[in-house]
Amino acid sequence: MKLRILLKMTVLTIILGACTISYGSPYRKFDSKIPALILAQPKRVELSVTYELAIPEQVISNLPKEATVYKFVSKQISEQDFRSLSSKFGMKGQPKSDNDRPDHKGDSLLLLNEGTKRLLLNTQTGTWKYRDDSKIFQSTGANNIPSDAEVSRIATEYLKTNGWLPPDFQFQTVTAVTEELSNLSQTPKVIGKSAYFYRYIAGQPVYGVSRIIVDVGNQGEVVGVSKFYKEIEDAGKQPLKTVDQAFKEAKQKKGTVTTDNPKLKNALIKDVKIKYWEDSGSIDDQPFLQPVYAFKAEGKVNEKTEEFEVIIPAIENARIELKKVGQ
């Protein structure tokens, strides 16, 4: 059997406790060096899109000339904190160090495997992931997966009950995990669903890895939880490059896009917003949450309109590194 995740809306795939955010705080100029913003690209797809800018001048003139940069807060979580978290999932064992992972160099990881349950926590960033492998996305004759609306309700109440839903996070979408049946004429069987919650800043969702995911299985049981965001604090303001500068970088492929359709050759950019991007790297490598330009584009493939976004770093003189992901 083969598992397939069906997304109900576009989710950026490049891929708790309370957040410290100071909206409306006294004006402070940012005085630290900004490292290159790391944006991910699919490995297999090489896109060649020609863009045309068609954003109304009023939209451009209303954009801010500077934006707040946020600093990620280093947590330094103790083993006692880890045990307090693991007890929420009925786990009582002693965690072990798991620092040899190539994708987490420089970080300190604690891992607890207890029966079919698994909890991995990054003691520096405060990010963690829990799942029960005996129950998550399992195909059984008794599968009774709730509706999307019910999954949203279950996940929201679960996070609130445990104090894991900060006020700057909002429910975003539900995705379905399906099992492809041997008889391809049959409708794939839904064997689990995941509710996604995104952090919002100035009314816009934060892109990249900044999310909470709650996995819901048979009979609406919560069988997995992931806290993939880092806590932040206001670090002052930085000037932004102009829209024209950002558009030139888009034409030069100095950003990433939320489409992997190789047949897409021409696109019209019709809108732009200032959003933020959280990379999955360590705080040492990526210490700041940076603003980005999110260009809304649309193009046609086989007479069908495809909408997507082009993401460009927004800070003036900011460097960018493109990281290939996927196989």
Side-chain angles (χ1 to χ4, degrees), residues 149-262:
E150 186 66 6
V151 167
S152 171
R153 184 193 64 78
I154 291 170
T156 300
E157 290 184 0
Y158 179 85
L159 293 176
K160 287 182 175 180
T161 297
N162 286 285
W164 293 339
L165 187 60
D168 57 333
F169 271 75
Q170 299 178 26
F171 168 75
Q172 190 75 11
T173 190
V174 170
T175 66
V177 179
T178 64
E179 180 182 60
E180 291 184 344
L181 305 177
S182 56
N183 184 346
L184 298 181
S185 65
Q186 293 181 297
T187 302
K189 180 181 180 182
V190 177
I191 59 175
K193 291 185 178 180
S194 299
Y196 285 72
F197 297 79
Y198 281 16
R199 169 186 273 149
Y200 275 69
I201 294 178
Q204 298 297 323
V206 176
Y207 285 167
V209 299
S210 193
R211 62 194 64 175
I212 304 167
I213 307 172
V214 179
D215 302 310
V216 177
N218 187 41
Q219 302 293 329
E221 182 180 5
V222 173
V223 294
V225 187
S226 301
K227 182 222 179 217
F228 286 146
Y229 72 90
K230 299 181 281 291
E231 295 185 23
I232 57 176
E233 61 184 15
D234 189 329
K237 294 183 180 295
Q238 275 280 83
L240 303 180
K241 64 185 67 168
T242 66
V243 171
D244 283 342
Q245 287 176 300
F247 178 61
K248 288 179 182 178
E249 293 181 12
K251 292 192 295 184
Q252 296 167 357
K253 299 182 182 179
K254 292 184 176 180
T256 193
V257 296
T258 61
T259 179
D260 59 359
N261 190 338

Side-chain angles (χ1 to χ4, degrees), residues 92-104:
K92 300 179 180 180
Q94 179 68 26
K96 66 177 183 179
S97 175
D98 192 36
N99 296 333
D100 296 329
R101 295 172 176 242
D103 56 337
H104 284 280

